[in-house]
Amino acid sequence: MAAVDRNAAALDVSTKQLMESSGNALAREVRTVADSGDEVAVVAGRGNNGGDAFVAARFLAGDCDVTVHLLGRPETITTEIARENWDALRAAEIATERVRDSNALDLGSPDVVLDGVLGTGVTGAPREPERSAIVATNDADATVVSVDIPSGMDADTGEVADVAVEADHVVTFHALKPGLEGREDVTVADIGIPEAAERFVGPGDLLSLSRDPQAHKGDFGRVMVVGGGPYTGAPALCAQAALRAGADLAYVACPDPVADEVQGYAEDLIVEPYVGTRLQPEHVPDLLADAEARDVVVIGPGLGGADDTLDAVRAFLEGYEGKAVVDADALQVVPAVETDAELVCTPHQGELATMGGPRRDDWEEREALVAEFARDLGQTLLVKGAYDVVADGDATRVNRTGNPGMTVGGTGDVLAGITGALYSTQDAIDAAAIAAYANGTAGDAVVDEMGYGLLASDLLAKIPTALWGERR
């Protein structure tokens, strides 16, 4: 929901609008259980859940006797929009109480308690003063309405680590949270989030990228690129893009005659040459052994389409059981290969047609057909185009970043490398969707700065900002 909220904001549907709609939906639910003049105690935390409750209090104030109990000092309210709605309560002279000491919380004898203590992003046992507020809510002889999720409950699992509000009614926003499944006391409120906030990849999707301050080398991915022979730039671009997208280590397995050339592109690459001028079946056992120590394999950039090379790709995929990104000529073997590997395939429309997939100029027609083809393959597809379509047979996402300047050779190799890096830490469809977004965003940044005529290598320096610039 945090991702969807942020994507909605990027579509000019502001958090302020959404909070206003959320508060209105809460007030409607409270009115179904409260009579005119009833006492309503609003117990609010300092996050956006509390902000939703502040708005609800404003809507209810004309019908009910409302008192808002804020758990903490107003200056510690964590978001600007929630602070604005607290200030609106004060300006409207709606009764408010600031709970500085959890032992001093007194809800009185309300008819209804509105629980806005903790939101969906909180896990584990609640701390003070929130814990005491949950206990006080449960002790009140009142009907309890919870905001989005009963405070203290894990929104993903429904589990309770310590104590949770025993809600009579829950108003959850936009979609049912997994932890609420099976409950009959839940109202799912439409708060005006556009369908596009989930359909199109946006800046909210980047929220899934995080880094533990105590992380060690390798925690964010060891990516192995199997490529090169006929071409040297493709595997080098791919591996460098993986590093720029956050992978800790990037290895390039390539033919011995081009190894020095590949290494010459960047000293950061770990080049692992094999004998011969191109990938052949006899190289596969060693590659499979090396792949066991890597998190993701990207196979295809610069390999070429020689028959024995494609036989080697087929043999590798048949023997590999990990995560792989398949690109370029290697894609054509995927439909007929039997593999236990989890693949992200990154074709453009021509390559998708070679795989036996659909080719449509209209992206919306293509979206449905790509989803069906992904379901048939049992793998994840990232189909490149003016609108990239990402599908795994269950979920489908569309990316709109990018520009016509990115028709230049090599941008697909960059995309494959970004995907490989993200696939080290993300699910397949999330890795592919975010990679498409970041690749296009990097390309847009280059064109904004330089105009058309970009080189694929120009994208490399823009990848970190595309992924993390808005998070800093």
Side-chain angles (χ1 to χ4, degrees):
M1 279 304 300
V4 170
D5 284 350
R6 188 164 179 181
N7 285 349
L11 296 167
D12 292 326
V13 180
S14 69
T15 304
K16 185 173 184 176
Q17 289 175 267
L18 298 179
M19 189 170 285
E20 195 76 5
S21 296
S22 300
N24 198 357
L26 288 166
R28 288 197 304 270
E29 184 67 22
V30 170
R31 288 193 187 98
T32 67
V33 296
D35 295 325
S36 180
D38 276 357
E39 291 188 20
V40 177
V42 177
V43 187
R46 290 164 292 149
N48 278 345
N49 228 43
D52 296 331
F54 299 155
V55 175
R58 180 158 42 82
F59 278 110
L60 289 168
D63 302 323
C64 302
D65 181 7
V66 179
T67 301
V68 179
H69 303 266
L70 174 65
L71 303 178
R73 294 174 289 114
E75 55 268 30
T76 64
I77 293 173
T78 58
T79 68
E80 181 178 351
I81 186 63
R83 282 195 299 274
E84 289 178 4
N85 279 299
W86 169 261
D87 292 340
L89 287 180
R90 301 284 292 165
E93 297 188 356
I94 295 170
T96 59
E97 298 285 345
R98 304 173 192 179
V99 182
R100 296 182 176 88
D101 181 352
S102 59
N103 295 319
L105 176 60
D106 181 6
L107 298 182
S109 302
D111 299 287
V112 178
V113 176
L114 181 59
D115 157 38
V117 177
L118 298 172
T120 56
V122 179
T123 59
R127 302 176 180 178
E128 294 294 353
E130 289 79 12
R131 188 185 190 282
S132 291
I134 291 171
V135 172
T137 298
N138 290 340
D139 288 344
D141 184 17
T143 301
V144 178
V145 178
S146 283
V147 178
D148 215 13
I149 194 87
S151 295
M153 175 186 287
D154 189 299
D156 292 326
T157 66
E159 296 177 354
V160 176
D162 178 17
V163 294
V165 166
E166 298 165 3
D168 299 294
H169 302 272
V170 180
V171 181
T172 197
F173 307 126
H174 183 64
L176 187 70
K177 310 308 180 290
L180 296 173
E181 290 180 1
R183 293 180 63 129
E184 298 180 355
D185 56 0
V186 179
T187 298
V188 179
D190 182 350
I191 58 172
I193 292 175
E195 184 266 346
E198 291 186 278
R199 186 182 198 181
F200 297 117
V201 192
D205 293 272
L206 305 179
L207 295 175
S208 64
L209 305 179
S210 60
R211 294 226 163 195
D212 185 343
Q214 305 302 318
H216 301 283
K217 183 186 293 185
D219 287 354
F220 301 105
R222 295 176 171 88
V223 176
M224 174 181 175
V225 178
V226 181
Y231 308 96
T232 60
L237 280 170
C238 181
Q240 289 177 87
L243 291 173
R244 290 291 191 176
D248 289 336
L249 296 166
Y251 305 80
V252 180
C254 62
D256 183 69
V258 300
D260 287 345
E261 191 171 348
V262 172
Q263 184 70 79
Y265 285 103
E267 60 272 33
D268 309 273
L269 306 181
I270 303 171
V271 179
E272 299 178 325
Y274 50 79
V275 176
T277 59
R278 64 176 180 268
L279 180 66
Q280 295 183 322
E282 57 262 33
H283 301 129
V284 170
D286 288 340
L287 292 177
L288 287 171
D290 290 340
E292 289 182 2
R294 315 285 154 74
D295 298 293
V296 175
V297 173
V298 183
I299 187 166
L303 282 180
D307 288 344
D308 52 0
T309 294
L310 296 182
D311 288 341
V313 172
R314 189 176 295 106
F316 180 88
L317 294 177
E318 287 173 347
Y320 183 58
E321 298 180 354
K323 297 178 175 182
V325 178
V326 185
D327 188 43
D329 288 302
L331 287 162
Q332 58 195 289
V333 312
V334 170
V337 76
E338 293 187 10
T339 180
D340 292 326
E342 300 174 67
L343 308 182
V344 175
C345 302
T346 58
H348 55 61
Q349 290 188 67
E351 292 166 333
L352 184 68
T354 301
M355 295 172 69
R359 184 165 187 166
R360 295 289 190 280
D361 291 334
D362 183 271
W363 70 268
E364 290 185 287
E365 291 181 21
R366 188 164 69 250
E367 179 186 12
L369 294 172
V370 167
E372 182 179 350
F373 190 55
R375 191 177 302 112
D376 292 342
L377 279 179
Q379 304 290 358
T380 300
L381 291 172
L382 193 178
V383 181
K384 296 172 283 193
Y387 280 38
D388 307 310
V389 178
V390 182
D392 64 1
D394 293 321
T396 305
R397 304 295 304 283
V398 177
N399 173 61
R400 300 185 290 183
T401 62
N403 60 78
M406 296 177 68
T407 56
V408 66
T411 57
D413 302 308
V414 171
L415 174 61
I418 299 172
T419 306
L422 297 178
Y423 198 13
S424 298
T425 60
Q426 307 287 316
D427 292 337
I429 191 164
D430 294 329
I434 296 171
Y437 179 83
N439 192 54
T441 301
D444 290 342
V446 172
V447 167
D448 286 346
E449 184 177 308
M450 300 171 55
Y452 294 129
L454 61 83
L455 303 177
S457 56
D458 294 331
L459 272 62
L460 295 175
K462 304 297 185 182
I463 294 170
T465 302
L467 287 170
W468 295 287
E470 294 186 51
R471 291 172 51 83
R472 293 183 58 191

